[in-house]
Amino acid sequence: MKLIVAVVQDKDSNRLSDALVEHNHQATKLASTGGFLKAGNTTFMIGTEDENVDDVLKIINDNCKSREQLVAPISPMGGNADSYVPYPVEVQVGGATVFVLPVDQFEKF
Amino acid sequence: MKLIVAVVQDKDSNRLSDALVEHNHQATKLASTGGFLKAGNTTFMIGTEDENVDDVLKIINDNCKSREQLVAPISPMGGNADSYVPYPVEVQVGGATVFVLPVDQFEKF
Amino acid sequence: MKLIVAVVQDKDSNRLSDALVEHNHQATKLASTGGFLKAGNTTFMIGTEDENVDDVLKIINDNCKSREQLVAPISPMGGNADSYVPYPVEVQVGGATVFVLPVDQFEKF
Ligand code: NI
Ligand code: NI
Ligand code: NI
């Protein structure tokens, strides 16, 4: 038995939840902030048998992998037109920090 | 030393807190959602010496064990009377998912 | 690799965050309540290499150590003047409860 603790960006949180449910993995979400990832984030705790750890890691990677995203420029609405970038820019989004913890004992009451 | 991580239903949370205090076990509560248990839930972290793990598990079981509860029917208030069940129904409430984690080092500052 | 779980008082939380960032340690904060420490508290999760555990523990100790603080008396504003203490009193503030957990596997996606 392992307890997988995964910190992911809020924007990937619902998609990860859905994917874990689809694959029949149980998870608990904790509200978390700052740190490992700059934006708002969510901490998942997923209890799983040793033989399913790789499957859970793959699901996390598939749904939360750090990637580049094109962001459309926002027009400068009365702001400083000098700083206006008139084309989409690439920003890094997503990413996950994952700890696989050993479990001495597991109980369901 | 062990760190016991227990996910319990919100409705059992206060009772479990009180029971842990009575037995002189220290716990921290984290706000958590979804997953192991369908309804709103709370994650307890309880640090304890190895020899007290069984006592903590018993307290969790005593206060959070999955059980059936009779729920009084709600009258259909202008709703579809066809789906109205005019007698109490049994629903499953409570339950706890518990991980006992090994601790390499414990410090109190 | 270790996962350090530290429960500290809310009032020390921002200072600890800043100190961890300064020393280049990544942390995630979880909202937590009650238990190990009486007042509102915050749970930090800090992933770190084995050789940096002592450095992280020192930072936690430096910023959250339990200490006495002089609290100015509050004038009894129409309350019971008999219970008014006309000199500052020492109260215990801060403190940290810290668990160092072994990590079987660490991934960054
Ligand atoms: Ni699967
Ligand atoms: Ni007891
Ligand atoms: Ni340092």
Side-chain angles (χ1 to χ4, degrees):
Chain A
M1 194 76 191
K2 303 290 182 196
L3 182 62
I4 298 175
V5 175
V7 183
V8 310
Q9 278 199 358
D10 284 343
K11 68 182 302 170
D12 294 335
S13 171
N14 283 340
R15 198 170 42 169
L16 178 57
S17 286
D18 292 348
L20 289 168
V21 168
E22 259 175 58
H23 286 257
N24 221 23
H25 297 297
Q26 289 194 302
T28 291
K29 281 190 265 187
L30 306 170
S32 54
T33 57
F36 295 124
L37 303 162
K38 295 297 146 57
N41 57 53
T42 302
T43 297
F44 282 74
M45 295 192 309
I46 307 151
T48 193
E49 297 299 329
D50 293 29
E51 62 266 28
N52 293 329
V53 167
D54 286 346
D55 188 49
V56 173
L57 294 180
K58 188 183 179 309
I59 295 169
I60 297 171
N61 191 11
D62 286 350
N63 288 282
C64 307
K65 197 178 173 53
S66 178
R67 65 230 179 240
E68 282 173 343
Q69 200 172 54
L70 282 179
V71 173
I74 298 155
S75 48
M77 285 284 285
N80 185 356
D82 294 345
S83 65
Y84 177 61
V85 184
Y87 44 83
V89 288
E90 276 192 336
V91 295
Q92 204 75 16
V93 297
T97 302
V98 187
F99 304 90
V100 181
L101 306 179
V103 173
D104 277 356
Q105 195 179 342
F106 173 69
E107 301 289 342
K108 245 180 134 73
F109 296 128
Chain B
M1 194 75 190
K2 303 290 181 196
L3 182 62
I4 298 175
V5 175
V7 184
V8 309
Q9 277 198 359
D10 284 342
K11 68 181 303 169
D12 294 334
S13 171
N14 283 340
R15 197 169 44 168
L16 177 57
S17 286
D18 292 347
L20 289 167
V21 168
E22 260 175 58
H23 285 257
N24 222 24
H25 297 299
Q26 290 194 300
T28 291
K29 280 190 266 186
L30 305 170
S32 54
T33 57
F36 295 123
L37 303 162
K38 296 298 149 55
N41 57 52
T42 302
T43 297
F44 282 74
M45 295 193 308
I46 307 151
T48 193
E49 297 298 329
D50 293 29
E51 60 266 29
N52 292 328
V53 167
D54 286 346
D55 188 47
V56 173
L57 293 179
K58 188 183 178 308
I59 295 169
I60 297 171
N61 192 10
D62 286 350
N63 288 281
C64 307
K65 198 179 170 54
S66 178
R67 64 228 179 241
E68 282 174 344
Q69 200 173 56
L70 282 178
V71 173
I74 298 155
S75 48
M77 285 284 284
N80 185 356
D82 294 345
S83 65
Y84 177 62
V85 184
Y87 45 83
V89 287
E90 276 191 336
V91 295
Q92 204 76 14
V93 296
T97 301
V98 188
F99 303 91
V100 181
L101 306 178
V103 173
D104 278 356
Q105 195 180 342
F106 173 68
E107 302 289 343
K108 244 181 136 74
F109 297 128
Chain C
M1 195 74 190
K2 302 291 180 195
L3 182 62
I4 298 175
V5 175
V7 184
V8 310
Q9 278 199 358
D10 284 343
K11 68 181 303 167
D12 294 335
S13 171
N14 283 340
R15 199 170 41 168
L16 177 57
S17 286
D18 292 347
L20 288 167
V21 168
E22 260 175 58
H23 286 256
N24 222 22
H25 296 298
Q26 289 195 300
T28 291
K29 281 190 265 186
L30 306 170
S32 55
T33 57
F36 294 124
L37 303 162
K38 295 298 148 55
N41 57 53
T42 302
T43 297
F44 282 74
M45 294 193 309
I46 307 151
T48 194
E49 297 298 329
D50 293 30
E51 61 266 28
N52 292 329
V53 167
D54 286 347
D55 188 49
V56 173
L57 293 180
K58 188 183 178 311
I59 295 168
I60 298 172
N61 192 9
D62 286 351
N63 288 281
C64 307
K65 197 177 171 53
S66 178
R67 66 231 179 239
E68 282 173 344
Q69 200 173 56
L70 281 179
V71 173
I74 298 155
S75 48
M77 286 283 285
N80 185 355
D82 293 345
S83 64
Y84 177 61
V85 184
Y87 44 83
V89 288
E90 277 192 335
V91 295
Q92 204 76 15
V93 297
T97 301
V98 187
F99 303 90
V100 181
L101 305 179
V103 173
D104 277 356
Q105 194 179 344
F106 173 68
E107 302 289 343
K108 244 180 136 73
F109 297 128

